[in-house]
Structures are given as C-alpha cells and as structure tokens.
Amino acid sequence: MKTLVLGATPNADRFAYRAVMSLLRHGHEVVPVGRKKGEVGGLTIQNDPPQVSDVHTVTLYLNPGNQREYYDYIMSLSPKRIIFNPGTENRELEKMAQQSGIETVEGCTLVMLSIGQY
C-alpha cells in the first residue's frame, strides 16, 4: 500500500520522520514529501511534489495553514484515504476530500500502525 507522507523531514525527533520509518518497517511503499532537503529511511525527501500514481493514503504532518498550498496536489493524487495526524485537523480539506469520495481519518499514523489498524 503506497503512502505519501506530506511534511516529511530528515529530523529524527519529529513524528513525520518516525512515521516514515514505521511505514517502511511495516512493509509499505513510502513517498516522503517535505520542505526540508534530506533523507529518511534511505529515501530522498521530495521538495517538489512528485506526480505519483496509485497512492492509497496521504498522511499529513503539516499544520492546516501550510496544507493550503497542497490542496490541489493532494486531490490530484486521488488517494483512497487522508490521515489527519494530531495538530493537522482541517475541516476545509476534510470536506473537499469527502466530497470527492476520499475517506478521512483523524488519527495517528504511528498508533494505527502499532495496533495493526493501518
């Protein structure tokens, strides 16, 4: 299952970094996208949002104000699901997604993975 991590960072202290590492450990294909240059889990963080296909899940690690510039990009991916991690909850984007038939989840990617509910 391909997951795009929006807000990926090379900073090992950040939850976005931990999420990429946990997704990889659980056997998921990961596309890390973020503003900071660097690597996480051996993957290069994409600073220019790449056009990728077959994205199942977009998991957000950007606050709502920083999500706005990515709305069109996220919607163009046509993911099956968007996970709003704590602090990323955004009613505007949730509504857009739901109107397009995209499942929205307010939850924590790390917890979901750890309890087998990803």
Side-chain angles (χ1 to χ4, degrees), residues 1-6 14-26 28-30 56-62 81-89 105-118:
M1 185 164 31
K2 188 183 297 183
T3 300
L4 187 135
V5 177
L6 189 55
R14 306 292 296 193
F15 287 111
Y17 179 96
R18 294 179 195 170
V20 170
M21 298 303 292
S22 186
L23 285 160
L24 290 170
R25 274 194 306 276
H26 283 86
H28 297 280
E29 184 178 350
V30 180
H56 182 276
T57 300
V58 172
T59 185
L60 297 173
Y61 287 93
L62 294 175
R81 166 176 74 170
I82 299 173
I83 299 174
F84 292 85
N85 288 278
T88 69
E89 299 87 350
V105 176
E106 287 186 11
C108 176
T109 297
L110 290 167
V111 171
M112 293 168 69
L113 286 164
S114 72
I115 62 174
Q117 292 187 353
Y118 188 80

Side-chain angles (χ1 to χ4, degrees):
M1 185 164 31
K2 188 183 297 183
T3 300
L4 187 135
V5 177
L6 189 55
T9 176
N11 182 343
D13 294 331
R14 306 292 296 193
F15 287 111
Y17 179 96
R18 294 179 195 170
V20 170
M21 298 303 292
S22 186
L23 285 160
L24 290 170
R25 274 194 306 276
H26 283 86
H28 297 280
E29 184 178 350
V30 180
V31 180
V33 178
R35 295 178 175 180
K36 299 205 167 117
K37 294 187 183 304
E39 291 188 357
V40 55
L43 302 172
T44 300
I45 296 171
Q46 304 295 311
N47 302 125
D48 294 317
Q51 284 307 313
V52 291
S53 59
D54 301 322
V55 172
H56 182 276
T57 300
V58 172
T59 185
L60 297 173
Y61 287 93
L62 294 175
N63 70 48
N66 288 329
Q67 292 170 21
R68 239 178 225 108
E69 68 184 88
Y70 294 100
Y71 284 1
D72 290 341
Y73 175 65
I74 293 167
M75 300 308 290
S76 77
L77 296 172
S78 299
K80 304 276 187 272
R81 166 176 74 170
I82 299 173
I83 299 174
F84 292 85
N85 288 278
T88 69
E89 299 87 350
N90 179 341
R91 298 288 173 244
E92 184 178 33
L93 181 54
E94 283 186 52
K95 187 175 180 182
M96 289 172 57
Q98 290 166 352
Q99 288 173 342
S100 296
I102 300 168
E103 176 189 4
T104 60
V105 176
E106 287 186 11
C108 176
T109 297
L110 290 167
V111 171
M112 293 168 69
L113 286 164
S114 72
I115 62 174
Q117 292 187 353
Y118 188 80

